[in-house]
């Protein structure tokens, strides 16, 4: 199925080529109309190119209109203001396009060759996941889904923190303070506790730090006992993380952690030194940047020989460059790491590694009140967050639909709860700080997951009644666009793929959320003004088919945000 913008672009380019052949003009841009009273799409080619062509923009627009080729897409063009071209689609084209919803969109104009590696979530081993991991995890997952939908070969990598000084401390803590029963019941929570115990004890007995360094050295040298413990810590942690990922519907293809890249780092240092990118500075290896680049010097190896995060990240890019057919690499972290990414991205450029890289940063999530701030310590555990969302959603479901079975209530509560947490984040501009408010995200009104899920469930309820009337809603149904509510909803369905493309271009999942919210509002205006049941056969089939296809787009769009739909709520 073709994307509408490509169809329109082809027709306009034909008209422009006929009029201005041989002249280099600025690229043609066709956008969705900002006001549906002024058409379905708009083109500002005349405004953009009036100086280049040396003509009045309105005159250019009039010339395009007069020389426009015959086609089966555009009903009419209108010139507005100083030279805007308003585009109105033919009802027959809208109807045909809606009949094709469900077919795969044609995104072949994109450069999808090779692998897109996306790096997100990245918790530290032996620590429970908390609210700080939420944004990276769900924004990364949404970007993964969006690019995969567009036809890219996606590789989701969870770059876990599984190496470093904390493991020497953990080994000491495990041997000295472990509660075996607690470890059996909740291994990661108990490992966190023994780590805290070690830290407290080390304040009074600094020799423990030396002991921890010795245990870490043994681990690094391949000591069998310490290596077995290290692997046990990783396995226990991943088991817990994967349980949470499964609950949120999140998948990873690889889990290459710090330890995986550690053996590669000496060669990275050698290459940086050999190419005179890293130089010796008081015993450490440091990369200095040109003053114009406004970057702080980057230490890639300490004077004691230890490597740093930058070294690991450079090694990561080298590994990916050598082992994948890289289209691009995407990293999803919070805003505080911007300088770090600028540094090591620049270093890989200095090394001559031609790899497209993107750091997709996001603002910190904050809470409007302290509802969770005093739970276990001052860190909000991710599992507690999801449990609380489930419980609050259950109370609402139980109040609204007390006759549902307990199993149905629990299933609805889990989907609504998890979806609400995810959508509350994904519906925001990722670069803005997110204010998290329970009453807002679980509301059935406004731009929330429950509102969208309810819109979808309402569609399914009506379609069930239509089915019980033995009315067939297969393809090739002519959609009647007799009033503005039918036309508004129908034409808006056509621009779904444009919202996906824009979301991928900007790495902003909220653009899809914005589209779905606007679609749901148009759907509800349609409901309020266009009765579906108890109509003549043609009208009933047309309107029922229109909401059926709206439901399909809602489901598809929500799935790109990692959100499941419900047939009833």
């Amino acid at each position: 199925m073709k994307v509408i913008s490509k169809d329109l672009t082809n027709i306009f380019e034909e008209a422009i080529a006929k009029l201005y052949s041989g002249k280099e003009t600025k690229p043609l841009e066709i956008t969705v109309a900002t006001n549906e009273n002024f058409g379905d799409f708009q083109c500002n080619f005349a405004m953009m190119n009036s100086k280049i062509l040396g003509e009045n923009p309105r005159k250019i627009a009039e010339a395009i209109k007069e020389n426009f080729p015959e086609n089966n897409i555009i009903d009419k063009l209108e010139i507005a203001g100083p030279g805007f071209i308003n585009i109105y689609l033919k009802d027959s084209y809208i109807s045909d396009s809606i009949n094709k919803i469900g077919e795969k969109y044609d995104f072949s104009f994109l450069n999808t060759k090779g692998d897109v590696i996306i790096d997100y979530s990245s918790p530290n081993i032996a620590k429970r996941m908390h609210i700080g991991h939420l944004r990276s995890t769900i924004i990364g997952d949404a970007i993964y889904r969006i690019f995969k939908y567009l036809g890219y070969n996606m590789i989701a990598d969870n770059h876990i923190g599984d190496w470093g000084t904390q493991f020497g401390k953990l080994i000491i803590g495990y041997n000295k303070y472990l509660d075996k029963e607690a470890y059996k019941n909740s291994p990661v929570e108990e490992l966190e506790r023994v780590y805290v115990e070690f830290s407290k004890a080390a304040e009074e007995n600094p020799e423990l730090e030396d002991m921890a360094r010795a245990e870490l050295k043994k681990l690094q040298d391949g000591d069998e006992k310490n290596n077995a413990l290290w692997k046990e810590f990783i396995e226990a942690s991943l088991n817990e993380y994967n349980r949470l990922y499964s609950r949120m519907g999140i998948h990873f293809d690889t889990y290459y952690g710090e330890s995986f890249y550690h053996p590669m780092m000496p060669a990275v240092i050698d290459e940086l030194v050999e190419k005179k990118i890293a130089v010796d500075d008081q015993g450490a290896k440091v990369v200095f940047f040109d003053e114009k680049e406004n970057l702080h010097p980057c230490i890639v190896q300490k004077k004691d020989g230890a490597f740093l995060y930058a070294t690991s990240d450079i090694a990561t890019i080298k590994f990916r460059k050598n082992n994948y057919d890289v289209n691009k690499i995407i990293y999803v972290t919070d805003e505080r790491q911007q300088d770090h990414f600028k540094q090591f991205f620049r270093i890989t450029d200095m090394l001559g590694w031609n790899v497209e890289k993107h750091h997709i940063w996001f603002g910190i999530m904050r809470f409007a009140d302290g509802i969770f701030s005093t739970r276990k310590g001052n860190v909000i555990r991710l599992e507690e967050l999801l449990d609380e969302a489930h419980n609050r959603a259950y109370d609402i479901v139980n109040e609204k639909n007390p006759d549902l079975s307990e199993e149905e209530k629990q299933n609805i509560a889990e989907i609504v709860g998890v979806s609400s947490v995810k959508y509350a984040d994904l519906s925001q501009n990722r670069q803005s700080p997110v204010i998290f408010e329970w009453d807002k995200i679980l509301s059935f009104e406004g731009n929330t997951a429950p509102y969208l899920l309810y819109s979808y469930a309402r569609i399914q309820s009506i379609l069930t009644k239509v089915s019980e009337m033995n009315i067939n809603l297969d393809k090739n149904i002519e959609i009647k666009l007799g009033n503005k509510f039918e036309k508004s909803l129908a034409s808006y369905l056509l621009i779904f793929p444009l919202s996906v493309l824009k979301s991928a271009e900007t790495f902003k999942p909220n653009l899809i959320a914005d589209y779905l919210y606007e679609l749901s509002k148009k759907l509800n205006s349609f409901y309020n003004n266009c009765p579906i049941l108890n109509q003549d056969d043609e009208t009933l089939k047309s309107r029922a088919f229109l909401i059926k296809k709206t439901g399909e787009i809602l489901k598809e769009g929500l799935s790109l945000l990692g959100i499941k739909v419900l047939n009833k709520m």
Side-chain angles (χ1 to χ4, degrees):
M1 181 179 176
K2 286 189 177 179
V3 178
I4 176 65
S5 61
K6 286 296 163 187
D7 276 342
L8 293 176
T9 300
N10 292 340
I11 298 167
F12 267 83
E13 284 179 343
E14 184 183 337
I16 290 164
K18 198 180 293 183
L19 285 166
Y20 305 109
S21 177
K23 295 190 177 180
E24 285 193 22
T25 54
K26 290 182 181 179
L28 175 69
E29 289 184 15
I30 294 175
T31 57
V32 178
T34 52
N35 184 328
E36 59 190 37
N37 293 323
F38 303 122
D40 299 299
F41 289 86
Q42 292 176 323
C43 175
N44 67 349
F45 174 86
M47 306 283 291
M48 296 280 289
N49 289 280
S50 62
K51 285 187 179 179
I52 295 171
L53 298 173
E55 290 184 28
N56 178 284
R58 191 172 177 95
K59 188 178 176 183
I60 295 171
E62 292 284 2
I64 292 172
K65 181 182 176 182
E66 287 169 15
N67 290 274
F68 211 71
E70 285 292 321
N71 65 88
N72 62 355
I73 297 174
I74 296 171
D75 182 42
K76 64 176 180 177
L77 301 178
E78 286 184 353
I79 313 304
F84 291 107
I85 303 174
N86 294 336
I87 306 164
Y88 294 79
L89 301 179
K90 289 183 176 179
D91 288 356
S92 58
Y93 176 79
I94 295 172
S95 181
D96 289 345
S97 298
I98 289 173
N99 271 274
K100 291 177 183 174
I101 287 173
E103 296 178 11
K104 194 172 182 181
Y105 289 104
D106 179 7
F107 295 115
S108 58
F109 51 87
L110 298 171
N111 173 25
T112 58
K113 182 180 179 295
D115 306 313
V116 175
I117 304 155
I118 180 163
D119 187 321
Y120 59 101
S121 196
S122 307
N124 288 321
I125 292 300
K127 292 182 179 178
R128 286 173 294 171
M129 289 180 73
H130 54 77
I131 192 70
H133 296 106
L134 179 66
R135 298 210 77 190
S136 171
T137 303
I138 62 177
I139 292 171
D141 178 62
I143 293 171
Y144 172 94
R145 290 167 181 268
I146 290 162
F147 273 81
K148 190 169 186 177
Y149 184 79
L150 293 175
Y152 290 88
N153 183 47
M154 299 301 295
I155 295 156
D157 183 44
N158 196 346
H159 191 101
I160 54 175
D162 65 350
W163 200 247
T165 56
Q166 73 268 31
F167 286 99
K169 298 175 182 180
L170 271 173
I171 290 167
I172 295 287
Y174 179 92
N175 291 325
K176 275 182 168 289
Y177 311 116
L178 190 77
D179 180 328
K180 290 185 179 179
E181 191 62 28
Y183 184 67
K184 182 181 176 182
N185 293 330
S186 183
V188 181
E189 184 175 3
E190 178 59 10
L191 288 174
E192 273 192 344
R193 190 193 67 78
V194 301
Y195 187 86
V196 171
E197 283 294 320
F198 171 89
S199 300
K200 288 178 182 174
E203 288 179 9
E204 297 178 11
N205 182 8
E207 290 178 5
L208 282 172
E209 295 283 0
D210 294 329
M211 292 170 63
R213 279 189 281 273
E215 294 298 337
L216 177 63
K217 183 72 166 61
K218 284 164 65 178
L219 171 62
Q220 292 170 338
D221 291 342
D223 177 80
E224 190 174 331
K225 186 177 177 183
N226 281 8
N227 195 262
L229 271 181
W230 173 69
K231 288 181 177 177
E232 185 179 311
F233 298 160
I234 292 173
E235 183 180 2
S237 300
L238 288 181
N239 285 340
E240 177 168 314
Y241 303 157
N242 285 331
R243 181 168 49 80
L244 285 170
Y245 291 140
S246 176
R247 190 172 174 185
M248 293 189 290
I250 286 164
H251 151 86
F252 290 96
D253 299 297
T254 55
Y255 288 80
Y256 293 136
E258 298 291 329
S259 64
F260 180 80
Y261 300 104
H262 198 265
M264 307 174 198
M265 294 190 215
V268 166
I269 297 298
D270 289 345
E271 187 171 352
L272 288 168
V273 171
E274 184 184 329
K275 292 184 175 179
K276 298 181 180 177
I277 295 168
V279 297
D280 192 85
D281 186 65
Q282 299 180 21
K285 300 291 188 297
V286 183
V287 176
F288 292 93
F289 303 97
D290 190 293
E291 281 185 18
K292 295 176 184 176
E293 295 180 282
N294 199 26
L295 292 171
H296 295 295
C298 181
I299 302 172
V300 290
Q301 187 175 30
K302 293 182 184 177
K303 61 182 177 183
D304 63 3
F307 304 116
L308 290 98
Y309 285 124
T311 329
S312 173
D313 285 328
I314 295 164
T316 301
I317 288 184
K318 184 174 185 177
F319 170 79
R320 290 168 175 168
K321 178 178 73 76
N322 293 340
N323 290 275
Y324 296 97
D325 178 17
V326 176
N327 177 298
K328 59 177 69 70
I329 305 174
I330 303 167
Y331 297 83
V332 184
T333 77
D334 73 51
E335 60 191 346
R336 293 170 295 186
Q337 297 190 45
Q338 289 180 77
D339 287 344
H340 166 73
F341 277 88
K342 286 175 185 174
Q343 283 181 321
F344 87 83
F345 278 9
R346 179 66 187 115
I347 292 170
T348 62
D349 291 341
M350 292 162 77
L351 283 162
W353 298 347
N354 185 25
V355 178
E356 184 180 332
K357 307 169 290 290
H358 300 272
H359 176 216
I360 307 308
W361 58 269
F362 52 83
I364 304 299
M365 179 176 282
R366 295 177 174 85
F367 285 76
D369 54 35
I371 194 163
F372 283 137
S373 63
T374 56
R375 286 199 167 205
K376 301 175 183 178
N378 58 359
V379 178
I380 303 153
R381 307 293 175 199
L382 188 50
E383 187 163 29
E384 290 174 346
L385 187 69
L386 297 177
D387 286 346
E388 183 72 11
H390 176 105
N391 294 338
R392 286 177 178 241
Y394 179 87
D395 290 342
I396 294 170
V397 172
N398 196 37
E399 180 186 334
K400 288 182 176 288
N401 291 299
D403 296 333
L404 292 175
S405 69
E406 182 62 21
E407 184 181 354
E408 284 180 306
K409 289 177 187 175
Q410 291 291 352
N411 180 55
I412 292 170
E414 180 67 5
I415 290 175
V416 171
V418 172
S419 297
S420 296
V421 168
K422 293 171 82 170
Y423 190 83
D425 186 315
L426 295 171
S427 60
Q428 309 288 321
N429 182 333
R430 61 172 168 79
Q431 293 178 331
S432 303
V434 172
I435 304 299
F436 194 95
E437 298 175 88
W438 280 116
D439 291 340
K440 182 180 176 183
I441 68 165
L442 285 173
S443 170
F444 278 70
E445 297 176 356
N447 193 7
T448 63
Y451 176 73
L452 298 183
L453 293 175
Y454 177 72
S455 296
Y456 179 84
R458 189 180 182 189
I459 289 171
Q460 303 317 306
S461 175
I462 293 171
L463 293 178
T464 298
K465 291 174 184 174
V466 171
S467 177
E468 288 167 355
M469 297 165 66
N470 293 318
I471 293 174
N472 188 357
L473 294 179
D474 288 337
K475 279 187 180 180
N476 302 319
I477 290 177
E478 183 182 352
I479 297 172
K480 299 170 70 174
L481 304 176
N483 62 52
K484 66 177 184 179
F485 302 102
E486 290 169 315
K487 179 74 181 285
S488 177
L489 177 59
S491 58
Y492 200 70
L493 290 175
L494 273 55
I495 66 172
F496 169 67
L498 302 184
S499 73
V500 180
L501 285 165
K502 194 67 179 175
S503 180
E505 182 186 321
T506 58
F507 301 98
K508 290 184 175 179
N510 69 289
L511 298 182
I512 292 175
D514 291 346
Y515 170 84
L516 296 175
Y517 178 49
E518 187 63 29
L519 179 64
S520 294
K521 288 197 295 182
K522 288 180 182 294
L523 174 67
N524 282 296
S525 293
F526 171 82
Y527 279 142
N528 294 334
N529 293 279
C530 303
I532 297 172
L533 305 174
N534 301 319
Q535 302 296 301
D536 62 78
D537 284 354
E538 271 191 33
T539 302
L540 192 155
K541 286 183 78 171
S542 170
R543 291 178 178 177
F545 189 73
L546 183 54
I547 67 163
K548 179 187 176 185
K549 291 302 178 181
T550 302
E552 289 177 17
I553 293 292
L554 274 173
K555 182 177 182 179
E556 203 156 78
L558 286 168
S559 75
L560 294 180
L561 304 179
I563 291 174
K564 294 178 182 177
V565 293
L566 288 159
N567 287 337
K568 64 178 178 179
M569 287 177 68

